């Protein structure tokens, strides 16, 4: 493809075939936001059912489906893709790269995730969603009638492959694509934490792949791994699931930690306190994250020695996390703090996350866990860390990076209303759930009896959920009413890192000249020690760009079709789907595609045009 | 755009698979991918070890496995790894014909291995070890079958490369492709060494 041809593509075709990391990032953000809204609605439906004792708003079966899909959607289809959106958009900009290492695979990862997510949600219209909880414990999952669990198995398998591909892509991008001078220990913390999270994806997701494969073979092909009568063992699923599942929660939280580590120094006007301690704390959390999976299984009966070991390992994670908390506090110490919406979320995160961490250590005490296990105490704990950590991080990221990504600044007044409503609603919903759990209310129950002291707190919790719903609507209003704030969008916050050195909208090649990095917080350094502009590491020249391709979409679509063939045992359809995918891969392998070049004159024209 | 053209052997850089950024990315990315594959097979091995006692009155490891068959299969696969090493040595020397020849030998050995594996599964099935007969059966077929699927994929991949590049000569574009295919092939071999030990030797011995 020539440069001229690449310039004159139809808009929709352009988005379907894009391999530009920025566009793929926006696609991730859009799809993630959609699933976030779906998962949120599911949560609100559940809270309405639990507003009053013995309520009959929702059938018990539907309630099971709602709680399963809420968890699955929020973890796999909302939180991770939203983080992937920021990682895609920001990592290359933060390390001074023109693109990711594997633009084609990057697109493939997105389409696999999207088709997997759609597949999972098609189950609502195909006779019932999965109903065994997001953890899908065997034999509940392996024996569950209907096709719901089949959709779970294949939907997660397809989107999981996409995630794995994305993880490998980020790892190689960070290692191979950094600009001159951008050593590992000069990388912004968001890039660092995304790097470690990608490492976790790489080593955690294959365990889920195998778990899902076993469940699929057992449900659809007559294998037996979990059937005790034929020598099977149900605990195998739990091990495989949590060997994946525990690193997964660190995959969710580490990039959010990274966002806070960008936002806090920017709005405290100080460099991050203890940068290298932060990096090593991130690495240690990533490492320990693989050592603690059995703390989800304390009550299974793996024995006192195993319980003790996993309890101690779990508590050890509090140490690097504590290092991070203190470093954030000391970053703020003596800083000139600006209370922007992004910073409010970062500031709100610190106490909220500490509370979630404290209940985490309580749960890690394995003897006490026999009381907490499967109660609302656990529900309260993980919502404190996942909403208080990941979701707050995402919202901070939204307000912080929105001008760079979409070219306009979000209204700060509405943003603050959103923040306070969301913060209040969140604590109202989940703080009381600690006590509900301690009073003995089981998680995942569709109803409860009156007169057991649970009525009032459940009612309060539901009101809080409504508040969060209202807050989300205000966020949408903010997004759609702020579009006129198009001034001062290239570097609105007096930023410190390389993404703020690009012009907004960011040209498809990101940097006309690859920047030369001279210090940590490279842009800040040039502002105060240099002339406020990045030094160039190369003269202006032709820029090599990859060609767009429709093949990623086709490959993912093939697996989508094949999944239906497997779910409904229509094997010809499964084979057709797989053939579509393999033809896509075959074409990709056989056709050498060397991309095209943007001529130096065009780059110069963009640069001088003041774009 | 030097990577567009065929490069004469005498001007080829010493490590053509890592001479371009694309090649380096592919090389590193593939190593990461193999790291993930290690966890994948680790999970399967764990499952197998957990379930290998669960024969549920069906045939068990010591009833089925024979060292001679598995020994032949092991030799075939190990030799195929050796031939793929020869292929890479030829690639680094710029001898493209040698590369193609040794890669073809690798494919042939891989196909022979697959033939034995199909015979093996057919035979076990015949002796009453159906896929869903017992947890041992399912775990065995899943672990060894996943490995077999990897071999099949590797054979197809290398075949596609051999046909696609039968006349092109060595270029900076196809050198990384051959190199990663060989990395993949070695990985499959290493997994088989573990299967040989954990599944067959342990099955016959204990």
């Amino acid at each position: 493809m020539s440069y001229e041809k690449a310039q004159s593509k139809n808009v929709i075709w352009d988005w379907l075939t894009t391999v530009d990391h920025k566009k793929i990032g926006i696609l991730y953000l859009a799809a993630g936001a959609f699933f976030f809204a779906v998962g949120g609605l599911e949560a609100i439906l559940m809270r309405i059912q639990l507003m009053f004792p013995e309520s009959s708003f929702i059938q018990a079966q539907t309630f099971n489906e709602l709680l399963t899909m809420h968890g699955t959607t929020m973890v796999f289809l909302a939180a991770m893709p939203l983080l992937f959106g920021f990682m895609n958009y920001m990592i290359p900009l933060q390390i001074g790269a023109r693109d990711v290492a594997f633009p084609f695979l990057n697109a493939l990862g997105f389409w696999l995730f999207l088709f997997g997510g759609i597949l999972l949600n098609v189950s609502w219209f195909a006779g019932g969603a999965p109903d065994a909880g997001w953890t899908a414990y065997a034999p509940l999952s392996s024996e569950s009638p209907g096709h719901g669990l089949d959709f779970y198995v294949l939907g997660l398998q397809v989107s999981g492959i996409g995630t794995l591909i994305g993880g490998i892509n980020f790892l190689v991008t960070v290692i191979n694509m950094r600009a001159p001078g951008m050593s590992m220990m000069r990388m912004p913390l968001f890039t660092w934490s995304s790097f470690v999270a990608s490492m976790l994806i790489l080593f955690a997701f294959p365990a889920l792949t195998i778990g899902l494969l076993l469940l699929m073979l057992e449900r659809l092909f007559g294998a037996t791994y979990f059937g005790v009568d034929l020598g099977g063992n149900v605990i195998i699923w739990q091990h495989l699931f949590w060997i994946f599942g525990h690193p997964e929660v660190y995959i969710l939280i580490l990039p959010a930690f990274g966002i806070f580590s960008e936002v806090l120094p920017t709005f405290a006007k100080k460099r991050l306190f203890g940068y290298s301690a932060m990096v090593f704390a991130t690495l240690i959390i990533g490492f320990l994250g693989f050592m603690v999976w059995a703390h989800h299984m304390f009550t299974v009966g793996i024995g006192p020695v195993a319980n003790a070991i996993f309890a101690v390992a779990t508590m050890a994670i509090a140490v690097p996390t504590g290092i991070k908390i203190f470093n954030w506090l000391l970053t703020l110490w003596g800083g000139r703090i600006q209370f922007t919406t992004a910073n409010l979320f970062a500031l709100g995160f610190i106490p909220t996350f500490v509370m979630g961490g404290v209940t985490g250590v309580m749960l890690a005490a394995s003897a006490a866990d026999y009381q907490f296990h499967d109660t609302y105490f656990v529900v309260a704990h993980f919502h404190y860390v996942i909403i208080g950590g990941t979701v707050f991080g995402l919202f901070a990221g939204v307000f912080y990076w929105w001008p760079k990504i979409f070219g306009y600044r979000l209204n700060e007044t509405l943003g603050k209303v959103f923040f306070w409503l969301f913060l209040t609603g969140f604590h109202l919903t989940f703080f009381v759930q600690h006590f509900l759990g301690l009073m003995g209310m089981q998680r995942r129950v569709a109803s409860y009896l009156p007169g057991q002291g649970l009525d009032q707190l459940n009612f309060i919790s539901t009101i809080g959920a409504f508040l969060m719903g209202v807050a989300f609507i205000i966020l949408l209003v903010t997004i759609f009413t702020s579009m006129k704030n198009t001034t001062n969008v290239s570097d609105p916050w007096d930023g410190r890192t390389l993404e703020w050195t690009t012009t907004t909208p960011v040209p498809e090649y990101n940097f006309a000249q690859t920047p030369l990095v001279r210090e940590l917080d490279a842009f800040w350094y040039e502002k105060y020690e240099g002339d406020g502009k990045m030094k160039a590491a190369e003269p202006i020249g032709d820029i090599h760009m990859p060609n767009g391709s429709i093949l990623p979409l086709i490959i993912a679509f093939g697996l989508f079709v094949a999944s239906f063939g497997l779910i409904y045992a229509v094997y010809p359809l499964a084979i057709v789907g797989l053939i579509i995918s393999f033809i896509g891969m075959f074409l990709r392998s056989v056709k050498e595609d060397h991309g095209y070049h943007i001529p130096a004159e065009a780059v110069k024209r963009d640069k001088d045009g003041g774009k | 755009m030097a990577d567009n053209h065929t490069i004469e052997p005498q001007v080829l850089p010493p490590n053509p698979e890592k001479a371009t950024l694309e090649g380096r990315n592919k090389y590193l990315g593939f190593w990461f991918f193999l790291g993930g594959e290690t966890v994948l097979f680790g999970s399967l091995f764990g499952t197998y070890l957990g379930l290998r006692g669960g024969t549920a009155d069906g045939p068990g490891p010591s009833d089925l496995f024979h060292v001679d068959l598995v020994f032949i299969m092991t030799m075939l696969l190990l030799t195929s790894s050796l031939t793929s090493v020869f292929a890479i040595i030829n690639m680094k020397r710029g001898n493209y014909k040698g590369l193609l020849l040794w890669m073809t030998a690798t494919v042939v050995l891989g196909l022979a291995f697959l033939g034995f594996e199909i015979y093996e599964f057919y035979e076990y099935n015949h002796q009453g070890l159906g896929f869903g007969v017992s947890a041992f059966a399912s775990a065995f077929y899943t672990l060894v079958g996943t490995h077999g699927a990897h071999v099949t994929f590797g054979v197809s991949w290398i075949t596609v490369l051999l046909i696609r590049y039968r006349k092109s000569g060595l270029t900076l574009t196809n050198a990384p492709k051959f190199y990663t295919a060989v990395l993949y092939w070695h990985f499959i071999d290493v997994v088989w060494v573990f299967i040989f030990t954990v599944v067959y030797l342990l099955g016959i011995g204990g």
Side-chain angles (χ1 to χ4, degrees):
Chain A
M1 200 190 301
S2 68
Y3 170 62
E4 289 72 29
K5 211 171 148 202
Q7 290 289 299
S8 62
K9 273 185 291 185
N10 171 295
V11 178
I12 294 174
W13 182 253
D14 182 32
W15 282 87
L16 292 180
T17 60
T18 187
V19 293
D20 179 352
H21 71 95
K22 298 180 287 300
K23 284 184 177 157
I24 292 172
I26 291 173
L27 287 172
Y28 265 118
L29 289 176
F34 169 75
F35 286 122
F36 186 77
V38 171
L41 281 176
E42 286 159 358
I44 285 183
L45 288 175
M46 284 191 285
R47 275 321 315 173
I48 294 174
Q49 161 68 14
L50 293 174
M51 200 167 176
F52 301 106
E54 291 195 282
S55 160
S56 56
F57 177 68
I58 289 170
Q59 299 281 312
Q61 173 61 25
T62 313
F63 191 89
N64 288 347
E65 293 170 15
L66 282 172
L67 71 88
T68 304
M69 287 299 282
H70 167 70
T72 314
T73 303
M74 284 303 196
V75 170
F76 292 98
L77 309 180
M80 290 231 296
L82 288 168
L83 290 170
F84 263 48
F86 287 129
M87 285 154 79
N88 248 304
Y89 204 104
M90 291 305 161
I91 289 178
L93 295 183
Q94 288 198 328
I95 62 174
R98 293 233 164 82
D99 209 329
V100 290
F102 305 112
F104 180 93
L105 287 181
N106 199 16
L108 179 60
F110 169 75
W111 293 110
L112 283 169
F113 140 68
L114 185 66
F115 277 113
I118 292 172
L119 184 64
L120 202 56
N121 278 283
V122 164
S123 63
W124 285 115
F125 310 102
D131 56 359
W134 86 282
T135 52
Y137 272 19
L140 189 60
S141 55
S142 52
E143 305 290 329
S144 166
H147 287 300
L149 257 295
D150 302 330
F151 278 99
Y152 171 91
V153 164
L154 283 149
L156 285 191
Q157 193 71 284
V158 171
S159 77
I161 297 168
T163 308
L164 186 63
I165 290 174
I168 293 179
N169 181 31
F170 292 133
L171 286 172
V172 178
T173 303
V174 167
I175 292 180
N176 274 2
M177 310 285 280
R178 282 170 288 126
M182 177 61 81
S183 63
M184 290 298 270
M185 290 308 279
R186 282 182 189 167
M187 290 197 312
L189 238 284
F190 177 67
T191 299
W192 250 117
S193 57
S194 300
F195 179 74
V196 177
S198 302
M199 206 66 111
L200 297 183
I201 287 173
L202 175 63
F203 292 115
F205 264 75
L208 177 71
T209 306
I210 291 304
L212 294 172
L213 174 76
L214 300 186
L215 195 51
M216 179 187 83
L217 291 175
E218 173 138 350
R219 285 184 60 87
L220 299 173
F221 294 94
T224 176
Y225 312 94
F226 311 122
V228 179
D229 47 341
L230 289 174
N233 186 340
V234 292
I235 307 301
I236 284 181
W237 167 268
Q238 297 188 21
H239 278 296
L240 288 174
F241 187 85
W242 289 117
I243 286 173
F244 146 77
H246 198 80
E248 167 68 17
V249 301
Y250 292 99
I251 294 167
L252 294 178
I253 197 63
L254 287 179
F257 282 176
I259 295 174
F260 297 125
S261 303
E262 303 291 317
V263 168
L264 288 169
T266 304
F267 295 113
K269 292 270 165 283
K270 278 177 67 190
R271 70 177 273 177
L272 186 69
F273 187 90
Y275 171 86
S276 44
M278 285 300 239
V279 170
F280 285 108
T282 310
L283 287 166
I284 291 168
I285 292 175
F287 177 76
L288 287 178
F290 279 99
M291 305 292 155
V292 296
W293 79 88
H295 69 210
H296 298 271
M297 300 162 61
F298 280 153
T299 60
V300 165
I302 51 176
V305 175
N307 274 8
I309 291 170
F310 280 99
V312 172
T314 305
M315 291 176 192
I317 294 188
V319 176
T321 315
I323 291 175
K324 281 181 162 289
I325 297 283
F326 283 113
N327 279 339
W328 286 316
L329 291 176
L330 289 167
T331 304
L332 292 165
W333 188 266
R336 211 180 315 138
I337 300 171
Q338 292 169 290
F339 292 93
T340 57
T341 310
N343 203 26
L344 282 176
F345 272 106
L347 297 171
F349 148 80
I350 295 176
T352 309
F353 193 82
V354 167
M355 288 173 69
V358 168
T359 53
V361 176
M362 288 170 72
L363 286 162
S366 56
D369 184 63
Y370 278 82
Q371 292 301 314
F372 304 139
H373 189 78
D374 264 351
T375 70
Y376 260 83
F377 189 81
V378 178
V379 176
H381 158 71
F382 67 67
H383 282 94
Y384 260 81
V385 285
I386 290 186
I387 296 184
T390 309
V391 176
F392 277 29
L394 286 167
F395 287 147
V398 164
F399 278 85
Y400 182 61
W401 280 317
W402 196 275
K404 182 54 66 185
I405 299 176
F406 295 101
Y408 63 94
R409 286 173 292 116
L410 292 176
N411 185 311
E412 281 291 315
T413 315
L414 275 172
K416 282 170 192 165
V417 173
F418 161 60
F419 166 76
W420 285 110
L421 265 183
F422 192 85
L423 186 83
T424 317
F426 163 74
H427 282 284
L428 214 52
T429 309
F430 294 106
F431 188 70
V432 294
Q433 290 187 2
H434 292 110
F435 301 102
L436 282 172
L438 293 176
M439 287 154 73
M441 182 165 167
Q442 291 286 296
R443 69 190 283 204
R444 291 176 174 169
V445 288
S447 190
Y448 52 95
L449 290 172
Q452 297 186 327
L454 306 175
D455 310 14
Q456 219 166 17
L457 295 182
N458 268 303
F459 185 81
I460 293 172
S461 184
T462 302
I463 298 299
F466 289 154
L467 272 184
M468 279 197 283
V470 172
F472 188 71
I473 292 169
I474 291 179
L475 173 65
L476 294 180
V477 171
T478 314
I479 287 171
F480 289 108
T481 55
S482 305
M483 288 182 179
K484 283 181 187 158
N485 301 337
T486 51
T487 53
N488 184 24
V489 286
S490 280
D491 182 18
W493 316 116
D494 196 8
R496 315 173 69 85
T497 41
L498 285 181
E499 73 264 34
W500 304 110
T501 66
T502 57
T503 50
T504 303
V506 185
E508 58 173 326
Y509 46 80
N510 295 352
F511 300 94
Q513 291 162 288
T514 302
L516 179 70
V517 176
R518 299 202 290 170
E519 188 43 90
L520 181 68
D521 289 339
F523 192 25
W524 190 257
Y525 180 80
E526 298 298 340
K527 280 175 181 172
Y528 286 85
E529 303 288 333
D531 58 358
K533 287 199 186 103
M534 295 306 297
K535 305 262 176 292
E538 59 175 13
I540 289 183
D542 292 357
I543 293 175
H544 176 248
M545 298 301 293
N547 283 329
S549 171
I550 193 71
L551 289 177
L553 196 154
I554 290 174
I555 294 172
F557 179 72
L559 290 182
F560 181 70
V561 172
S563 299
F564 278 104
L566 291 175
I567 290 169
Y568 291 104
V570 188
Y571 297 119
L573 187 65
I575 292 169
V576 168
L578 287 177
I579 288 176
I580 295 174
S581 283
F582 277 111
I583 287 179
M585 292 188 217
F586 176 79
L587 289 177
R588 168 68 182 169
S589 175
V590 162
K591 202 170 150 281
E592 281 185 9
D593 186 346
H594 293 288
Y596 64 98
H597 282 77
I598 299 175
E601 300 83 64
V603 177
K604 219 174 268 172
R605 204 162 52 232
D606 282 0
K607 209 179 169 208
D608 299 338
K611 247 176 80 172
Chain B
M1 290 299 287
D3 50 352
N4 229 351
H5 307 294
T6 308
I7 287 173
E8 297 305 316
Q10 57 267 28
V11 292
L12 209 74
N15 288 310
E17 75 279 2
K18 283 181 275 185
T20 60
L21 178 63
E22 267 196 356
R24 279 196 298 280
N25 284 345
K26 206 170 265 186
Y27 177 78
L28 183 66
F30 206 79
W31 270 108
F32 279 126
F33 169 72
L34 292 182
E37 287 268 272
T38 309
V39 177
L40 188 113
F41 277 103
S43 305
L44 283 173
F45 276 110
T47 306
Y48 176 78
L49 285 173
L51 296 178
R52 81 191 177 104
T55 50
D57 301 331
S62 50
D63 309 325
L64 297 162
F65 300 155
H66 293 289
V67 155
D68 39 5
L69 176 77
V70 188
F71 179 74
I72 296 171
M73 289 167 74
T74 308
M75 281 304 127
L76 283 172
L77 213 54
L78 288 185
T79 314
S80 78
S81 227
L82 183 68
T83 54
S84 71
V85 171
F86 289 153
I88 292 302
I89 291 175
N90 276 293
M91 182 182 95
K92 296 208 174 183
R93 284 184 185 152
N95 179 1
Y96 192 65
K97 276 233 173 73
L99 168 68
L100 294 186
L101 194 73
W102 285 114
M103 287 306 261
T104 313
T106 307
V107 168
V108 171
L109 288 166
L111 284 173
F113 171 87
L114 275 178
F116 276 101
E117 182 147 276
I118 291 165
Y119 164 75
E120 185 199 7
F121 281 11
Y122 174 80
E123 193 57 32
Y124 292 165
N125 193 36
H126 214 64
Q127 292 177 29
L129 192 78
F131 185 40
V133 164
S134 64
F136 157 70
S138 296
F140 168 77
Y141 283 122
T142 311
L143 169 58
V144 182
T146 304
H147 176 264
H150 276 72
V151 175
T152 313
F153 184 81
V155 164
S156 324
W157 180 12
I158 297 175
T159 309
V160 169
L161 286 183
L162 285 174
I163 295 172
R164 168 67 177 85
Y165 292 113
R166 65 195 179 281
K167 284 180 187 147
S168 69
L170 191 60
T171 65
L172 290 180
T173 309
N174 65 24
K177 294 192 181 197
F178 279 110
Y179 197 85
T180 44
V182 168
L183 275 183
Y184 181 78
W185 196 259
H186 287 319
F187 175 77
I188 294 172
D189 256 22
V190 173
V191 172
W192 178 258
V193 170
F194 280 91
I195 290 179
F196 178 68
T197 323
V198 171
V199 176
Y200 293 103
L201 289 187
L202 221 59
I204 296 165

